[in-house]
Amino acid sequence: MNFQLYNNTNIPDDEDIGVSGSGTINSMILSQLVPEEYLFDPLNAEPTLDNLREAAIQYAKQQILLDDGTNVNNNDSNRDGNDTDDQVISGWESTKEPSKVKKAENKALKELLDAAEKDVHVHLSRIKAVLAQDPKLLETYKRDADPDILSRRKRLEEMQEQRRELGGQIQSILNGLTESLDMNSPSKQPKHQGPQGQGQGQGQESLTQASIVERRLLSWTRALELYIYDSGENVVLGGESNNKNGDGNSTSATAMAATTAASAKNLTMNQLLQHLCLASVTDDEETMTQALLQASKMTSLHLERTSKLLEDAVEETASTLQSYHIHLIAHSIAAQTTMKKTGDIQNKFLNHGKEALKIGHALELEEGKRYQSEHASLLLKRWWMMENLADQENASGETIQVHEEVWGVIPSSSCKLDPLFTRKENSVEAAKALKSLRTIVKCRSNVAKNSNGGKILLENGQEQGGVNDSALATKRFELTGTLIQRTSAELEQRLLNTFSEIYSEGGTYDFSSVLAGKRPGRLNWIMLREVAEALMSFDSGRSLLKRYVALVVSIKFPELYTRDEDNNDTESMEEKSAEEDIDGTRSKLSSLFHRVCEVCTEEFKLIAHVFSPSLPEHLQESTASNNKPKSVVNWRASFPESFALQVTRGLIKRLISDPKNGMQAHINGLLESIDRKGDFDSGAKKLDTFVVVHEKAAGLFHLLKEAAQKMWGIHDAAASKNLISANGFSDSSDGQLFNVQSTSALIQFLTTQEMALSNSQRQGYLNLELRLLHHHCCATLDRSGGKLLGPIRTKEDSIRNSVVPGGLADYRAPIMPLDQDSIRKKGFAALLNGLLKQSTLRQPLIHATDSLARARLMFGSGSGGGGNVNSTARVVSTIFSQMCNFYGLSYLYPIVDSLGAMLATTAPNTPPSLPFDESLPPHDLGVDGNFWIIIERIHSAAKSFDRELWAENRTGSVRVWEILVQTRSQTSLTLGKERRIRFFQELEERGESAILRALDALSAHIHWVLVIGGEASSRGTNSGNRRDGPYAVPTGSILDSTNSPAVKALTYCLRSQFVHVQAALTPQSLSAFWTALSRRVYDILVARLLQYYKVSTVGAVVLSRDVEALRSVCMLAGNDHLHWDTLRELLTLYMTPPDSLKTMLVGADGDANSGKGMFGRVGKDQSIVFMSRRIDYRYRTNQGLKKSQWAKELLDELGVNDPTDGRVNIANYAAENITLT
C-alpha cells in the first residue's frame, strides 16, 4: 500500500547501511518521516488524521453539491488542477430522486469511514516503525500480518478454548477433587481381588503412595485451572452441548448446569489449599513437601501465563481505543453535517408552515363569511314569511290561532304558520330561528328609522316615499314583531310543558348509553337534553332553570317543601314538633338530610348529562361507534359551559337557603318551636338540636361534595390538579378541564353554603351553651343549699363592655357569689353535707366537659378534624374562662373566705378545767376538725378542676389544653395558661389567709390552756408563792405526775389536731404550718417564763419534762425546731448549783470571751436572762427585790453586765431569733 506521504522519500536498503551506524541512520530517517511526538512517546502519541481531514473536506463539498443540485463536469476550466478533487466530484450528478440521493449519501459516508481506517493504519505503522527503528515498516506494515497481534490472538484463542473445555468438565473436576481428599483412606482404596474375584475387580489396580500423590496433584491442578480461567459462565454452554446427544431433557440439564456454575463460582483459593493440605495429612513430611513444591511451580506457571494475557488485554484495549476515537471523529463529522441539514429543513418547514397557516386562516375567514351570508339569507326568508303572515292577519282581520297551531291542536296541513314552528321534531331549529328574529325585533329603531328623518334613500341619493311610507313600514314591523313574540311565547310554553311531562314520568336514571333512556322504566334524558337545548334560546334558559328546580322540589319533596297557607295548621305542627323529644328531632332531621343527599346525588348526574355542552367521554365513544340517526348521536349542544354549574347552584340554594321552604327555614322553625316554652329544659333540648343539626349538616355536605366530584366522572383530586396545570388541550380535554374547574367551583359553593348554614347556628348555639352552662352550675349550688347573691361587677366586665361587640359570643355569664353570711350561719357540717359534697363538686365539671365536647363538634377539633381553628380556640377559651370565674369567684372563693370568719380566734374568758378527760373528745383549740376536712375538699376540688378541664399533657383527653394545642393558637393557649395560673394563685392566697387565721386561733387557745389553765391549776396546789408561777415548787415537794396538767392537756389536744391537719395539707404545707405552730408554742411558754415565772430546782425538773413533751408534739412535722434544743440546754441553768454555773457558762477556762460554754453556744444575754429566772437569783426585801450575793460575784468574775437590771425586750428571745452555734 503506497501512501502519498512517502512518495518523495527514498528509503535505503539494509545492504547500503553499515551495521555499526544502522541505528543512527534509521533514527534520522524516522525523524524526517514521522511526527516528533511519536519519537518521544510512540504509545501515547496522538494520530495526525491527515486522511480523515482531507476526506471531511471532500464530504462537506459533496453535501453542498447534493443540496444545491448542480451538475459537475470532469473537465472544468475553472478548476485549480487538484486531481483528487476532480476524481471525487466527477461522479456526482444532480438529482431530485430520493433513492439516488440516499445512495450518494451512503457512498460519501463510506469514503469518510475508509479515510478513518487509513488513519488508524498509519497510526499503528508509525508506532511499530518507531519501536522497531525500522523505516520500512511505514510501507510494509500490515495489521493482519503483525506477529505480535497474531501471537496475541493465538494466546486468546487458546485461553478461550481452555475455558470452554473447563466449562464442560466442572462437575467432574469438582468430584475428582473431593475423591482425592480421602484417597488414602482404606475404604476408598481399591481392594485386591483373588482368583475368584478377577471378573469383579477388572480395571482396578493397586495404587502406591507415589501414584496417589500424582493423581491427587493432577486433580488439584485441574481445579486450580478451573479457579483461574473459568468463573462459571461457560458451564451452561457445556451443559447444552453435552445435552444434544442426551435424552433431550433440557430443563434438568439447565438446572444441573446452574448448580454446577454456582459451585464453581464459590470455589476459593483457601479451599484449594485446604484440599491440598488435608489430602496430605497421612503422608510423610517429604511427600507433603514435594506435593507443595509441585503445586508452587504450577501456580507460578499459571501466574506467568495470566500476566501475559493481562498484558495482551491492555495492548488490545489501547489499540482498540485509538481506533474507536478515530472512527468516532468520522461519525461526529457525519452527524454534525446531518444536524445542519436537519436544521435547514426545519427552518424551511417553519417558513412554509407560516405561509400555510396564513392561507388556512384566510380560508376559515372566507368560510365564516359564507356561513354568515347563508344564515342571513335564511333569516330574511323567515322574516318575510312572518311579515307576510302578519300582513294577511291585519288585512283579513282574522287572528292567527298561534296557540292551537303551535301546540298541535290544529292539524299541520291546516296551519298558517310554517311547519318549522308547528312540528315538535323541529323544536331546536325553531327556537334558534325565533331567537334570531327576536334579535331583529329588538333592533326595530335602527331598522324602521334612519338618520334622514324616517325617509329611505335610493341608490342614486333620491328620497323614496315620505311620512306615509315610513309609518306604513313601522306598522308592518310592529305587526311582524308582535307575531314573532306570540309564537315565541307559545313555543316556549310548549317546550316547558314537554320538559315537565318527560321529567314527571320519572324512571331510573340510566346513563350507560345514549339509548338507555328509551328503555321501559328509564328516564328519557336524551329527550330532556334536546328540549333543554331548545329552551336555551329563550331568555338564556332562565325559565328552564326555574322550571327544573320547581319540578325537583315538587316531585322529590312533596311533604317537606309544600307551602301551607293555613297559619293555624302551621302553628299546630310547630307545637307538635316542640313536644317531640331529642330522638324524634334527630330522626326528623336525619330523614330530611338523607333525602336531600340522595336526591342531590342523582340530580347532579342528571344535570351533568342534560345541561352540559358535551356528553361524558364514554357516551361520546358509543355515539361515534354506533351508526345511529343524527338526533341520537349528536353529543354536542349549545349550552354555555357554566350552565350546568348554574343549575346545580340554583337547586342547592332552593333546597337549603329558600326563605320559606328551605332546610334553613325548617331548622329555624324547629328551633323557634322549642323557644316557645321558654324554660331551661327547652334550652337543653335546643342545645342538643343545635349539635344534631351541625352533625347532620356536616355529613350531608360531605356526601354532596363527593357527589359533586363524581358529577362529571372526576374521582381523583390529584389528577384534576394535574389536568389543570397541563398545557396543550384538545377539544375533548378542554371540556374536561372546564368540568374540573366547574367541580372545584361547585365544591367551593357547597363549602360556602355549609359555612352559611353552620355560622347561622353557631352564634346562637354558643350563647345558649354559655347561658345553660352557667344555669346548670348555679342550679347545682342552689340544690345543695347555697344562697347566691346578685351579680357583681368586675374589672373584666368593664373591659368587655368597652370592646366593640361582634364576636361569636355575646353572652357574658354574671358572677353570682355564694352568700358568706349564710355559709357562716350553717357551719362546717352543713358545708360538708351540702356545698362541698363530692357530687356537688363534680357536677359543674361534668357540665363543662359536656360543653367542651359539644363545642368541639360544632366548631371542629383543630388541624386534624377541620373547622375554623381560630373560632374553636376562642370558644374553648371562653368556656374555660367562664368556668374559672364560676368555680373561683362564685363557688370556692366565698367558701374559703367564710372559713376564717367561722373560726374562734379568741379564747374563753374562764380558765379551762384541767386536766381534760381523755375519754371525751379533745378540745378543738378553736379550730373545728371539719375545718381541715373542708380545706382538703377544696384542695381536691381544685385539682379535679385542673385535671378534668385543663388536663395538660394528657393526650387523648380532649380537654382545654389538648384542643388549644391542636388549634395551634398561641394567643388562646397563652391566655388560657394565664387564666389558670390566676385562678390557682388567688385560691392559694385565700387558702393561706384561712390557714393563718386557724393558726391564730390555735395560738390563742394554746395560751389559754398553757398559761391561763396552768396558772389556775397551780393555785390549788402547794407550789410556793402564787405570783412566781407553776414552776416555783418548794424544795422537798412530791411530784404527782410527770407533766403539769396544762402541758398534758395541751399535748393531748395538739396530737388530735395534728391528725386533721396532716390529712388536709400537703407534706410541704404541713411542714410549714407545724413549724410555725411550734414557734408559737415556744414563744408563748418562753415569754411567760421570762416575764412572770420563777423556777426552783424541783420546778426545773417539771419544766424540763413539760418542754420535752411540748417538743415531741411540735416535732411531729417540720424540720426547723432548733429553738427547743436551745431551750433544753438553757433549762440546765435551773438545775445547777450556783458554784458550778461559771463553768457551765464559760467553760473550764473561766474566760467569758473564749467562746466556750453556754455563752458561746447560746449567747451572753440570753444565758443571763434565763438564769435570772432562778428562784434564788433574787430575794424579796422590804425595799424590793435584791440580787443574791452569789449572782453578783458570778457576774463580777465573768466581767459581764446583767441585762435584767434594765428593761428586757422579750421579742429578742423569740423562736425565730434563736441561733445555736
Side-chain angles (χ1 to χ4, degrees):
M1 181 181 298
N2 296 325
F3 298 102
Q4 185 179 0
L5 180 64
Y6 313 122
N7 288 341
N8 299 325
T9 304
N10 295 322
I11 300 176
D13 297 332
D14 293 337
E15 292 79 2
D16 299 334
I17 302 173
V19 176
S20 60
S22 60
T24 305
I25 296 174
N26 290 338
S27 299
M28 294 174 60
I29 295 172
L30 288 174
S31 63
Q32 297 177 3
L33 300 178
V34 179
E36 185 178 359
E37 58 180 335
Y38 282 92
L39 300 176
F40 293 102
D41 190 2
L43 296 178
N44 295 324
E46 291 291 335
T48 56
L49 305 180
D50 298 327
N51 296 287
L52 183 59
R53 190 176 297 107
E54 183 178 357
I57 296 173
Q58 299 303 325
Y59 181 77
K61 293 180 179 180
Q62 293 165 10
Q63 295 300 322
I64 294 174
L65 293 176
L66 285 174
D67 295 338
D68 296 341
T70 59
N71 295 327
V72 181
N73 298 324
N74 292 333
N75 300 320
D76 192 349
S77 60
N78 296 326
R79 301 291 291 174
D80 56 357
N82 193 329
D83 297 337
T84 304
D85 293 345
D86 293 340
Q87 292 176 3
V88 172
I89 299 175
S90 61
W92 296 93
E93 294 183 357
S94 176
T95 179
K96 296 299 182 181
E97 297 181 6
S99 60
K100 293 183 179 181
V101 173
K102 186 175 181 181
K103 290 180 180 180
E105 291 178 348
N106 292 339
K107 183 179 178 182
L109 179 60
K110 185 176 181 304
E111 291 178 356
L112 189 65
L113 297 177
D114 291 341
E117 187 64 30
K118 290 179 182 180
D119 283 331
V120 172
H121 184 82
V122 171
H123 178 66
L124 293 177
S125 64
R126 290 174 177 174
I127 294 175
K128 290 295 181 180
V130 172
L131 293 176
Q133 289 296 310
D134 186 2
K136 290 184 178 182
L137 290 178
L138 296 174
E139 294 182 353
T140 61
Y141 176 76
K142 294 182 179 180
R143 188 175 183 181
D144 295 337
D146 189 350
D148 294 337
I149 296 178
L150 294 178
S151 60
R152 191 163 61 209
R153 290 179 180 176
K154 183 178 180 181
R155 286 191 294 270
L156 180 61
E157 291 175 358
E158 291 175 355
M159 189 267 291
Q160 291 178 349
E161 180 63 27
Q162 186 178 6
R163 291 186 64 186
R164 284 192 293 270
E165 181 182 355
L166 291 173
Q169 299 177 3
I170 288 180
Q171 190 62 41
S172 62
I173 293 173
L174 295 177
N175 294 337
L177 185 64
T178 306
E179 291 175 359
S180 67
L181 184 63
D182 297 330
M183 194 170 291
N184 290 334
S185 176
S187 61
K188 298 296 180 178
Q189 292 182 359
K191 297 181 180 180
H192 296 279
Q193 302 294 334
Q196 294 86 3
Q198 290 178 359
Q200 298 176 358
Q202 188 176 2
Q204 296 180 357
E205 58 182 356
S206 178
L207 298 177
T208 63
Q209 187 68 22
S211 61
I212 291 175
V213 172
E214 183 180 357
R215 292 186 60 179
R216 188 171 64 224
L217 287 174
L218 180 61
S219 300
W220 189 83
T221 303
R222 298 294 292 170
L224 179 63
E225 292 176 354
L226 177 65
Y227 169 75
I228 295 173
Y229 299 109
D230 194 273
S231 58
E233 289 83 355
N234 297 324
V235 68
V236 178
L237 297 175
E240 291 176 354
S241 62
N242 295 333
N243 194 39
K244 292 179 181 178
N245 298 327
D247 56 356
N249 190 357
S250 61
T251 305
S252 60
T254 304
M256 184 181 299
T259 305
T260 305
S263 302
K265 289 181 178 180
N266 294 330
L267 188 63
T268 62
M269 193 64 190
N270 292 331
Q271 293 177 351
L272 289 174
L273 294 175
Q274 183 181 6
H275 279 289
L276 182 62
C277 295
L278 291 178
S280 303
V281 170
T282 58
D283 299 338
D284 54 4
E285 183 177 353
E286 182 179 357
T287 304
M288 186 174 181
T289 303
Q290 183 181 1
L292 292 175
L293 182 59
Q294 293 180 8
S296 176
K297 291 180 180 180
M298 288 184 289
T299 305
S300 300
L301 292 175
H302 288 298
L303 179 60
E304 293 177 0
R305 184 183 179 189
T306 53
S307 299
K308 188 61 177 177
L309 291 173
L310 181 60
E311 292 176 0
D312 294 344
V314 173
E315 293 176 0
E316 184 67 24
T317 302
S319 177
T320 306
L321 181 62
Q322 290 291 348
S323 177
Y324 170 76
H325 283 169
I326 295 173
H327 285 82
L328 181 62
I329 293 173
H331 284 285
S332 300
I333 294 172
Q336 291 175 2
T337 305
T338 305
M339 287 295 296
K340 182 178 179 182
K341 293 175 63 177
T342 304
D344 295 339
I345 294 174
Q346 184 181 7
N347 293 332
K348 293 179 181 179
F349 171 77
L350 293 176
N351 295 332
H352 297 166
K354 292 179 181 179
E355 297 296 332
L357 187 61
K358 292 179 180 179
I359 296 173
H361 288 170
L363 290 176
E364 290 180 359
L365 182 60
E366 296 299 328
E367 182 67 20
K369 292 180 179 179
R370 186 187 64 82
Y371 175 76
Q372 292 177 359
S373 300
E374 293 179 354
H375 181 70
S377 176
L378 181 61
L379 186 61
L380 285 175
K381 291 180 181 179
R382 289 171 178 169
W383 175 268
W384 290 336
M385 178 191 65
M386 297 298 290
E387 189 178 39
N388 187 24
L389 289 175
D391 290 340
Q392 292 179 7
E393 183 181 26
N394 184 38
S396 62
E398 183 180 356
T399 305
I400 299 176
Q401 298 178 351
V402 178
H403 176 76
E404 288 76 5
E405 292 184 6
V406 172
W407 285 77
V409 178
I410 300 176
S412 180
S413 58
S414 304
C415 293
K416 296 182 179 180
L417 292 175
D418 190 270
L420 177 66
F421 307 113
T422 59
R423 294 181 181 178
K424 293 183 178 181
E425 59 270 18
N426 299 329
S427 298
V428 177
E429 187 177 358
K432 293 180 180 180
L434 288 173
K435 180 180 180 181
S436 300
L437 294 174
R438 290 196 304 273
T439 304
I440 297 176
V441 173
K442 291 180 181 179
C443 301
R444 178 184 59 176
S445 59
N446 296 330
V447 176
K449 296 182 179 180
N450 54 19
S451 59
N452 195 24
K455 298 179 181 180
I456 300 175
L457 297 178
L458 298 177
E459 293 180 357
N460 55 7
Q462 298 178 358
E463 297 180 0
Q464 180 183 6
V467 178
N468 295 331
D469 294 337
S470 176
L472 180 60
T474 301
K475 183 177 181 181
R476 292 180 62 188
F477 195 92
E478 292 176 352
L479 293 174
T480 306
T482 303
L483 181 59
I484 292 173
Q485 293 293 343
R486 288 162 53 197
T487 307
S488 298
E490 295 299 334
L491 181 61
E492 181 181 11
Q493 291 300 320
R494 189 191 76 186
L495 292 173
L496 290 173
N497 185 66
T498 304
F499 187 89
S500 301
E501 290 177 355
I502 298 173
Y503 186 86
S504 300
E505 290 178 1
T508 306
Y509 293 176
D510 188 355
F511 306 107
S512 59
S513 66
V514 293
L515 300 178
K518 293 188 177 181
R519 298 172 186 171
R522 306 290 198 275
L523 179 68
N524 193 350
W525 59 273
I526 291 294
M527 186 62 67
L528 274 180
R529 180 179 174 84
E530 294 178 356
V531 176
E533 182 181 4
L535 285 169
M536 286 301 299
S537 300
F538 300 96
D539 199 13
S540 301
R542 290 186 178 86
S543 300
L544 171 63
L545 193 153
K546 293 179 181 179
R547 178 61 61 91
Y548 170 72
V549 173
L551 287 172
V552 174
V553 169
S554 60
I555 295 175
K556 303 294 184 179
F557 305 98
E559 71 281 2
L560 297 179
Y561 290 92
T562 302
R563 293 185 179 181
D564 193 354
E565 300 295 340
D566 190 356
N567 295 330
N568 295 328
D569 293 344
T570 302
E571 293 178 0
S572 63
M573 290 177 62
E574 291 176 351
E575 291 176 359
K576 181 179 179 180
S577 63
E579 298 297 331
E580 295 178 355
D581 57 0
I582 187 60
D583 294 332
T585 303
R586 185 185 297 270
S587 176
K588 184 176 181 180
L589 293 174
S590 298
S591 61
L592 172 62
F593 290 149
H594 177 73
R595 183 145 190 181
V596 171
C597 178
E598 183 180 9
V599 170
C600 288
T601 302
E602 293 181 353
E603 296 302 320
F604 283 176
K605 295 180 180 179
L606 181 64
I607 291 170
H609 286 79
V610 173
F611 300 105
S612 295
S614 61
L615 295 176
E617 293 183 359
H618 70 281
L619 295 179
Q620 297 178 17
E621 294 174 357
S622 64
T623 55
S625 60
N626 295 333
N627 221 350
K628 299 298 178 183
K630 185 177 180 180
S631 60
V632 176
V633 300
N634 185 19
W635 53 273
R636 298 291 300 179
S638 59
F639 294 103
E641 293 285 353
S642 61
F643 187 70
L645 179 61
Q646 294 178 6
V647 175
T648 309
R649 294 178 63 175
L651 178 61
I652 294 174
K653 289 180 67 175
R654 177 66 185 276
L655 293 176
I656 297 175
S657 305
D658 186 73
K660 186 172 184 180
N661 295 324
M663 287 174 51
Q664 182 65 56
H666 279 271
I667 293 172
N668 293 337
L670 180 63
L671 297 175
E672 290 174 0
S673 64
I674 297 175
D675 289 339
R676 287 193 177 92
K677 280 191 170 184
D679 55 357
F680 283 99
D681 292 335
S682 301
K685 180 179 178 181
K686 184 176 180 180
L687 196 63
D688 292 333
T689 306
F690 274 126
V691 177
V692 172
V693 168
H694 181 78
E695 180 183 1
K696 296 299 180 181
L700 169 65
F701 281 99
H702 177 72
L703 295 176
L704 289 180
K705 291 175 184 178
E706 290 184 352
Q709 288 183 347
K710 300 177 182 178
M711 184 174 177
W712 283 284
I714 300 172
H715 303 277
D716 190 1
S720 302
K721 293 180 180 179
N722 293 335
L723 183 61
I724 292 175
S725 61
N727 296 323
F729 296 101
S730 60
D731 292 339
S732 59
S733 62
D734 284 338
Q736 187 178 2
L737 173 61
F738 189 83
N739 291 340
V740 172
Q741 295 173 347
S742 299
T743 302
S744 177
L746 181 57
I747 293 176
Q748 186 177 3
F749 175 74
L750 288 171
T751 303
T752 304
Q753 291 294 315
E754 181 182 9
M755 293 177 62
L757 182 62
S758 300
N759 292 336
S760 62
Q761 311 297 332
R762 281 178 175 174
Q763 186 171 4
Y765 153 78
L766 184 56
N767 291 327
L768 182 60
E769 180 71 70
L770 298 177
R771 188 183 299 274
L772 286 179
L773 176 60
H774 179 69
H775 164 72
H776 289 311
C777 293
C778 293
T780 301
L781 299 183
D782 184 69
R783 288 193 298 268
S784 299
K787 181 180 179 182
L788 297 174
L789 298 177
I792 61 175
R793 188 176 182 85
T794 62
K795 183 179 180 180
E796 292 183 0
D797 294 333
S798 302
I799 296 175
R800 290 172 184 169
N801 293 333
S802 62
V803 176
V804 179
L808 281 172
D810 294 333
Y811 175 76
R812 301 291 181 182
I815 298 176
M816 303 171 63
L818 290 169
D819 186 4
Q820 297 185 21
D821 294 337
S822 175
I823 295 174
R824 288 194 292 269
K825 290 178 182 178
K826 292 181 179 180
F828 295 106
L831 266 179
L832 291 175
N833 297 325
L835 292 174
L836 293 179
K837 283 196 306 183
Q838 294 295 340
S839 58
T840 306
L841 292 169
R842 189 170 54 251
Q843 197 62 39
L845 302 180
I846 295 175
H847 293 311
T849 53
D850 293 341
S851 298
L852 288 176
R854 284 190 293 266
R856 185 169 174 267
L857 289 175
M858 287 293 294
F859 292 90
S861 58
S863 59
N868 189 343
V869 293
N870 294 326
S871 299
T872 305
R874 289 197 297 270
V875 169
V876 172
S877 298
T878 301
I879 295 176
F880 181 68
S881 178
Q882 178 172 317
M883 283 303 300
C884 288
N885 288 333
F886 169 78
Y887 223 70
L889 295 173
S890 299
Y891 189 8
L892 297 182
Y893 294 172
I895 294 177
V896 175
D897 293 341
S898 301
L899 291 178
M902 296 167 66
L903 296 175
T905 56
T906 57
N909 294 325
T910 60
S913 179
L914 299 178
F916 290 152
D917 188 359
E918 296 187 0
S919 62
L920 298 175
H923 196 279
D924 59 7
L925 299 180
V927 180
D928 195 335
N930 291 329
F931 171 85
W932 300 110
I933 298 176
I934 292 174
I935 292 294
E936 190 274 332
R937 288 267 182 96
I938 293 175
H939 183 260
S940 299
K943 291 195 297 184
S944 298
F945 176 83
D946 188 64
R947 182 177 61 254
E948 296 298 329
L949 283 186
W950 184 254
E952 186 168 351
N953 294 327
R954 283 179 55 195
T955 305
S957 62
V958 197
R959 295 297 188 262
V960 175
W961 180 83
E962 184 178 11
I963 296 175
L964 293 179
V965 169
Q966 289 178 353
T967 59
R968 299 180 181 179
S969 176
Q970 293 298 327
T971 302
S972 299
L973 186 61
T974 303
L975 291 176
K977 289 181 178 180
E978 291 178 356
R979 189 66 185 87
R980 170 175 172 263
I981 292 173
R982 189 165 68 251
F983 168 79
F984 283 103
Q985 282 181 345
E986 190 168 354
L987 181 62
E988 185 177 0
E989 291 174 358
R990 294 171 185 264
E992 288 178 356
S993 300
I995 293 175
L996 288 176
R997 194 170 179 84
L999 184 61
D1000 294 339
L1002 288 174
S1003 301
H1005 285 76
I1006 289 172
H1007 183 274
W1008 175 64
V1009 173
L1010 187 61
V1011 176
I1012 298 178
E1015 293 177 358
S1017 63
S1018 65
R1019 295 190 187 104
T1021 60
N1022 188 13
S1023 58
N1025 195 344
R1026 333 166 77 175
R1027 296 177 298 178
D1028 294 339
Y1031 298 109
V1033 181
T1035 304
S1037 300
I1038 300 175
L1039 301 178
D1040 297 335
S1041 60
T1042 58
N1043 298 109
S1044 63
V1047 172
K1048 186 176 181 181
L1050 180 61
T1051 54
Y1052 171 59
C1053 295
L1054 287 177
R1055 289 183 184 276
S1056 175
Q1057 192 73 225
F1058 177 78
V1059 176
H1060 300 291
V1061 177
Q1062 185 180 26
L1065 302 181
T1066 61
Q1068 295 82 0
S1069 300
L1070 175 64
S1071 176
F1073 177 81
W1074 208 251
T1075 299
L1077 182 64
S1078 172
R1079 292 176 176 176
R1080 294 284 184 96
V1081 174
Y1082 176 87
D1083 291 343
I1084 292 172
L1085 177 62
V1086 169
R1088 199 69 179 175
L1089 173 65
L1090 297 180
Q1091 286 180 329
Y1092 301 104
Y1093 293 167
K1094 291 185 177 181
V1095 183
S1096 64
T1097 304
V1098 178
V1101 176
V1102 178
L1103 178 59
S1104 177
R1105 292 176 182 177
D1106 289 347
V1107 169
E1108 195 65 31
L1110 293 174
R1111 176 178 177 273
S1112 63
V1113 172
C1114 292
M1115 292 186 68
L1116 290 175
N1119 51 13
D1120 187 9
H1121 300 288
L1122 180 63
H1123 46 277
W1124 291 108
D1125 297 333
T1126 304
L1127 182 60
R1128 290 171 63 190
E1129 187 170 359
L1130 290 171
L1131 292 181
T1132 58
L1133 294 174
Y1134 305 126
M1135 304 176 188
T1136 306
D1139 54 354
S1140 301
L1141 287 176
K1142 180 179 179 181
T1143 304
M1144 181 178 293
L1145 290 175
V1146 298
D1149 297 339
D1151 186 3
N1153 299 321
S1154 64
K1156 298 181 181 178
M1158 196 170 292
F1159 277 8
R1161 292 190 300 273
V1162 178
K1164 296 179 182 180
D1165 292 346
Q1166 188 170 0
S1167 300
I1168 295 174
V1169 169
F1170 271 86
M1171 185 180 65
S1172 67
R1173 304 315 299 171
R1174 290 173 59 103
I1175 197 171
D1176 57 351
Y1177 189 82
R1178 286 183 174 87
Y1179 60 92
R1180 289 185 176 86
T1181 62
N1182 294 330
Q1183 290 81 17
L1185 292 174
K1186 289 187 177 182
K1187 192 178 299 182
S1188 300
Q1189 185 63 31
W1190 65 266
K1192 295 179 181 179
E1193 293 177 355
L1194 177 62
L1195 294 175
D1196 293 339
E1197 291 179 1
L1198 295 176
V1200 295
N1201 297 323
D1202 188 0
T1204 59
D1205 292 342
R1207 184 179 179 84
V1208 178
N1209 188 3
I1210 303 301
N1212 294 333
Y1213 310 108
E1216 61 183 4
N1217 296 325
I1218 295 297
T1219 58
L1220 184 63
T1221 59

